[in-house]
Amino acid sequence: MTRSLFSRPSIWLVILLLLTLWLDSVLQRPRLQQGNDLQQKIDYIIENLNGIQVNHEFERNRFFSADKLIHYSTEDITQLEHVRFTSIEPDKPLLRVTSDWAELTKDGDDIFLTENVSIIRGEDLDKDKVTMLTDFLHLIPDTDIAKTDRPVTVIRMNSVLNAVGLFMNNRTGEILMQSRVKAHDERTPRSSR
């Protein structure tokens, strides 16, 4: 009798163990399938990319480069790693943009730059050169608009301007700071406290 009592709980333990393993495998499968779905959405990957966009009508040249480009076919989104944009147009200052990451929506209508974003408007030796630094920037190439709602630093000659939020129109040269604006000019001495 001792044997029959011992074997019954062990059978139930074995059944419970098998049921646990089966449930674990069933619950793990969707995660693996989801990861594969993300991989299947990738249309193509290009490394060490360089390109030129020329608009002869407006005499506009745009150069871009990236360490890596990933295109997702389902959403028609392109992601770029370590990206650099340069725009050259007649009667407008040189515009250079760099960032660690960029995401382009369908047809490049919107470009979202993140992490270590830098915009330089003007030549390096130009005394009117403006440098802007932030961690997020939304570019709208067709209208030459750049904007952010994050902290931004603007440097021009000896002046440093810090703010939260920025709107820049490259066509008009207009730069609007949105809130918490603080300015410092190295040419004026700081008052001692």
Side-chain angles (χ1 to χ4, degrees), residues 97-112:
V97 180
T98 62
S99 74
D100 288 350
W101 298 97
E103 183 173 291
L104 285 72
T105 59
K106 183 180 180 181
D107 299 324
D109 294 337
D110 292 290
I111 301 171
F112 300 96

Side-chain angles (χ1 to χ4, degrees), residues 108-121:
D109 294 337
D110 292 290
I111 301 171
F112 300 96
L113 305 173
T114 55
E115 296 182 35
N116 298 313
V117 180
S118 169
I119 304 172
I120 301 172
R121 190 172 187 269

Side-chain angles (χ1 to χ4, degrees), residues 45-56:
I45 298 173
I46 301 172
E47 293 185 352
N48 300 317
L49 172 70
N50 292 296
I52 301 171
Q53 179 189 33
V54 178
N55 184 326
H56 295 289

Side-chain angles (χ1 to χ4, degrees), residues 159-175:
S159 300
V160 178
L161 188 70
N162 291 299
V164 175
L166 167 123
F167 177 89
M168 178 182 137
N169 184 332
N170 194 45
R171 287 185 184 165
T172 63
E174 175 184 35
I175 300 173

